Amino acid sequence: MKPNVLVFITDQQRTDQIGCLADDSLNTPNIDTIAANGTLFRHAYCNTPLCMPSRATLWSGLTPRGHGARTNGVNTRDGVLMLPQILKDNGYETYSVGKLHLKCWHLTPEKTPNVKEAEYTPQLLPECETVWERGDIKKFPEPYYGVDHVDFLGGHGSYAFGEYYNWLKNKSPKAAETLRSIKAAWPKPGGTPYYNTVPKELYYTEWITQKTIECIENRDKEKPFFLWCSNPDPHYPFGPPIPYDTMYTAADIHTPLAFDDRRESMPDMFQKGYYERKGVYPPDGGPQLCDLQTLKEMKARSNGMVSLVDESVGRIMDHLRQNGLEHDTIVVFVSDHGDLMGDHNMYCKGPFHYEGLINVPLIFQWEGHIQKNVKTDALASLLDFVPTMLDLLEIPYPLTGIQPWPGPFFNMDGHEAENIYDKIPVLPGISLKPILTGQASKVQESVLIEDDDDIFGMFLRTLITEKYKLTLFINEEFGVLFDHEKDPEERQNLWNDPAYAEVQAQLVKKLLDKIVQTEPRLRRRYGIA
C-alpha cells in the first residue's frame, strides 16, 4: 500500500517562526522534531504572497495564471485538477480539516454588489461566510476538489465561521458571543494587540486537533489517506488563548530586521506618504509606521499562536505513532506565505516582496526515504509541492482524452523513438525529490513570484536566484534589485545603480524565460497541425 500523506499548513507564518530557525526565544519542539527527522528548506518561497492563490497553487501545482485564482477575491476555477482528486483516483481516502480558501469567503451583499443574491448558495460559494451566517449551510458540501471528507473553518480569530463556529455556538454560546464581540479589535498603528478570551479548550486549534485525530482514527484502514490539516494561525488578528497570550512578551522579541530602514531607495509605493496622498492604507497591511513596542507585542502574540500550533502538531504526531503509522506517512509542514512583521517598519502583507513576506517554512519527513536533519539552501517554491508529492508517491500526473502525439519522426528509420514531450514537463514546478533523497544539492536556478494587486493597480513579477532578487512593476519605470550577498537585509535598491545595469538586464531576461517556462502545458499536442 502506498504511504499516507499528512500536511500541516499554517497561514501567514514566517520561516523564522520555527524554533530551530528562530532569532527569538520561540519554542516549537514538535515542528523542530519533524525537521530533525526530515529535510527543511531555508529558501522556499510562496509563488504569490496571498492566501487564495498560494493555496490553489499548493493543491493544483499550477501558477496563478494556470489555476485562475491570481489574487485574493478571485475564485479558483472549477474543473482544475487538484492533488486530492489525483490521489483519490489512485486509491486514497482524502480529508481536509480547517481552512481551505480556494474560493472567496469575504463576500457580503453590502460590500460586493457585483455578486447577485442568487449566487449566495452553498453550491456556488461553499466557503462564503454569508451563506454560513445566514444558516443556509450547516455542513460543507462534499466532495470538494477531490476531498471526500471536509471539516470546515473559514476566517481567522474573532471572525471565524463555518463548522467550527457552529460547534462553538453549541458548545458554549457565551464563548461564541465573546468571540464575535471583539471582531474589529485587531492591531493597528499605535493601538494595542488583540487578545482572545475564548478558552484554549474551545479555541479552533483544539477543534482542528480533535477533528484531525478523528480522521486518522476513523479512516478506512484498507486505504492510504491524504489529510490536509490547515490552521488559520498565526494570521492576524493576533489573539492566542490563555496561557499562550503571555507565553512571550515584547522583551523576548528582537528588533525586526531593518526596522530603521527609511526605504529611501525604494519606489514610492513602499512609502507611507504614497498611501496618505491616496487617502487609504493597503487593506492587507503595508508601509504604515508602527512604534517598536506595538510591533514587538504583535510578534509576541503571533509567536504564542505558533507555539499553540506546535502543541497541536505534537498531539497529532503522537497519535500517528500510537497507531504505528509514522513510518508509513509522508509528513509535510508548510505555510502559504509569510508576514512582514515589522521588517523595514512594515507589517502584515501586500505587494512588498521582502524576504519576511515571501520566504515560507517547508519541511518534508518520511522515515527511511528522506534525508534526516538536513537544512538545505536549495531554492524551492510552493509550485514544486505537487510534482514532489507525485514523484515521492510514484503517481504520474494524469493526462485524459487523446494521448499526446509522439512526434513526426516516431516511425521513421534513423530516428530515435523519443517522445517530443520527454523534455517538456506537464506541470510548471520541479520535483524536489532529488534533494530530499540526497541525489542532488539543487534542482533549479531561480523561482518566480506573481502578484496582482487589483485594488491598487500594482502588478508585480519577482525572480529570485541564489544571489539576486529582481522585481518588475508592470507598466512602471521603477523596479527593485537586491544583491543578497552584499545586502542580506535588503536595504539598498540597486535598480538605478549603473554598476548593476548588466546584471539587471540579465535578470529581466531570466524573468521572462521563467514566465514562459512556467506556462501550464497540460494540453498536449495531438498532431502536426
Side-chain angles (χ1 to χ4, degrees):
M1 191 163 69
K2 289 190 179 295
N4 307 303
V5 177
L6 171 59
V7 181
F8 295 106
I9 177 169
T10 57
D11 198 324
Q12 203 157 310
Q13 180 177 354
R14 294 165 56 101
T15 297
D16 63 10
Q17 285 186 295
I18 296 177
C20 61
L21 294 179
D23 61 357
D24 297 316
S25 57
L26 182 58
N27 186 34
T28 58
N30 298 297
I31 299 170
D32 292 350
T33 297
I34 295 174
N37 290 326
T39 297
L40 180 153
F41 288 81
R42 290 192 185 95
H43 297 290
Y45 293 90
C46 59
N47 299 99
T48 303
L50 291 166
C51 299
M52 286 184 69
S54 194
R55 288 165 178 267
T57 289
L58 275 166
W59 273 31
S60 68
L62 300 177
T63 65
R65 286 168 281 141
H67 57 61
R70 57 183 179 79
T71 188
N72 277 358
V74 180
N75 283 336
T76 305
R77 286 202 310 269
D78 293 325
V80 173
L81 182 59
M82 300 294 198
L83 179 63
Q85 184 66 57
I86 297 172
L87 299 187
K88 179 180 178 179
D89 292 342
N90 281 270
Y92 277 74
E93 195 166 20
T94 53
Y95 302 88
S96 175
V97 178
K99 180 177 177 178
L100 284 163
H101 211 177
L102 299 172
K103 289 188 179 292
C104 297
W105 57 262
H106 193 50
L107 298 174
T108 64
E110 299 80 22
K111 291 187 177 182
T112 52
N114 55 308
V115 180
K116 305 304 179 186
E117 182 62 33
E119 294 177 298
Y120 284 100
T121 67
Q123 291 72 34
L124 295 175
L125 296 170
E127 298 190 55
C128 175
E129 62 179 325
T130 298
V131 299
W132 288 92
E133 293 300 299
R134 289 177 175 177
D136 296 337
I137 179 173
K138 302 292 185 182
K139 181 73 178 75
F140 198 90
E142 301 163 338
Y144 189 64
Y145 286 112
V147 179
D148 290 312
H149 311 284
V150 178
D151 293 296
F152 175 67
L153 163 62
H156 303 270
S158 55
Y159 53 96
F161 64 93
E163 291 174 68
Y164 159 72
Y165 188 65
N166 290 345
W167 171 86
L168 181 63
K169 286 190 294 185
N170 291 330
K171 198 84 171 176
S172 173
K174 182 179 179 181
E177 181 182 354
T178 301
L179 183 74
R180 286 299 167 83
S181 68
I182 51 177
K183 185 171 184 178
W186 65 283
K188 295 183 178 180
T192 56
Y194 155 79
Y195 290 79
N196 198 319
T197 55
V198 174
K200 175 179 177 290
E201 63 271 16
L202 297 177
Y203 189 66
Y204 50 61
T205 296
E206 179 63 29
W207 181 82
I208 289 169
T209 305
Q210 291 179 12
K211 289 295 183 181
T212 301
I213 289 174
E214 287 175 14
C215 289
I216 296 172
E217 194 66 33
N218 299 328
R219 74 192 189 281
D220 183 342
K221 296 177 176 57
E222 300 300 315
K223 294 181 177 182
F225 64 79
F226 169 85
L227 177 47
W228 184 258
C229 179
S230 180
N231 197 304
D233 289 349
H235 191 290
Y236 64 80
F238 306 113
I242 298 171
Y244 292 88
D245 60 327
T246 57
M247 179 174 285
Y248 306 96
T249 67
D252 300 319
I253 307 301
H254 293 171
T255 299
L257 185 74
F259 178 75
D260 60 345
D261 183 10
R262 296 176 61 86
R263 309 191 293 275
E264 292 176 337
S265 64
M266 300 301 289
D268 279 352
M269 61 167 291
F270 283 73
Q271 312 302 328
K272 180 173 180 282
Y274 175 88
Y275 297 94
E276 288 180 336
R277 290 193 298 273
K278 290 176 175 286
V280 295
Y281 282 108
D284 287 319
Q288 299 96 314
L289 298 179
C290 295
D291 65 86
L292 184 57
Q293 180 69 18
T294 297
L295 284 166
K296 286 187 174 184
E297 287 284 344
M298 290 180 193
K299 191 168 185 182
R301 302 297 159 260
S302 179
N303 283 356
M305 297 163 88
V306 171
S307 284
L308 180 53
V309 168
D310 182 79
E311 180 192 295
S312 170
V313 168
R315 288 168 57 191
I316 294 166
M317 291 299 292
D318 283 345
H319 195 74
L320 270 185
R321 283 187 283 270
Q322 292 164 9
N323 282 269
L325 296 172
E326 187 177 24
H327 300 288
D328 301 321
T329 303
I330 299 173
V331 179
V332 181
F333 186 90
V334 67
S335 191
D336 55 2
H337 55 81
D339 189 308
L340 293 164
M341 198 60 73
D343 291 354
H344 305 271
N345 201 353
M346 301 166 79
Y347 72 93
C348 293
K349 56 193 175 190
F352 317 102
H353 292 181
Y354 288 118
E355 287 290 289
L357 178 60
I358 59 177
N359 186 206
V360 295
L362 180 61
I363 309 170
F364 290 86
Q365 173 194 310
W366 186 15
E367 292 207 5
H369 300 270
I370 288 174
Q371 293 189 100
K372 285 188 173 184
N373 202 26
V374 171
K375 294 183 177 69
T376 175
D377 289 324
L379 289 173
S381 80
L382 301 187
L383 198 61
D384 304 325
F385 174 70
V386 169
T388 300
M389 294 309 303
L390 294 179
D391 201 4
L392 289 172
L393 298 173
E394 298 181 347
I395 295 175
Y397 189 90
L399 292 173
T400 58
I402 300 173
Q403 290 302 303
W405 181 52
F409 311 118
F410 73 99
N411 61 354
M412 293 177 60
D413 294 337
H415 292 275
E416 295 183 12
E418 182 181 24
N419 191 301
I420 62 170
Y421 284 109
D422 287 347
K423 297 179 181 179
I424 303 176
V426 176
L427 292 172
I430 299 174
S431 172
L432 304 174
K433 182 178 178 180
I435 298 172
L436 299 175
T437 56
Q439 296 174 320
S441 60
K442 61 182 181 180
V443 294
Q444 54 196 325
E445 301 294 331
S446 63
V447 296
L448 172 68
I449 299 172
E450 306 176 21
D451 193 348
D452 288 4
D453 190 326
D454 291 0
I455 294 175
F456 291 99
M458 290 291 175
F459 303 97
L460 296 68
R461 298 296 181 265
T462 291
L463 184 80
I464 299 174
T465 69
E466 292 178 357
K467 184 176 181 180
Y468 297 108
K469 177 190 293 180
L470 175 113
T471 300
L472 293 183
F473 296 82
I474 311 307
N475 293 326
E476 300 289 351
E477 294 298 321
F478 54 75
V480 174
L481 173 59
F482 292 126
D483 183 334
H484 280 160
E485 288 185 0
K486 296 180 179 179
D487 179 25
E489 292 191 355
E490 301 185 319
R491 289 175 179 264
Q492 186 59 43
N493 180 12
L494 303 170
W495 181 262
N496 293 316
D497 188 334
Y500 281 81
E502 185 176 348
V503 170
Q504 178 180 316
Q506 291 173 351
L507 290 171
V508 169
K509 170 63 167 59
K510 289 181 179 180
L511 175 59
L512 177 59
D513 288 346
K514 196 70 175 180
I515 291 173
V516 174
Q517 290 164 5
T518 54
E519 279 297 320
R521 292 183 171 85
L522 303 184
R523 290 179 61 83
R524 304 310 233 183
R525 189 167 182 160
Y526 292 161
I528 295 175

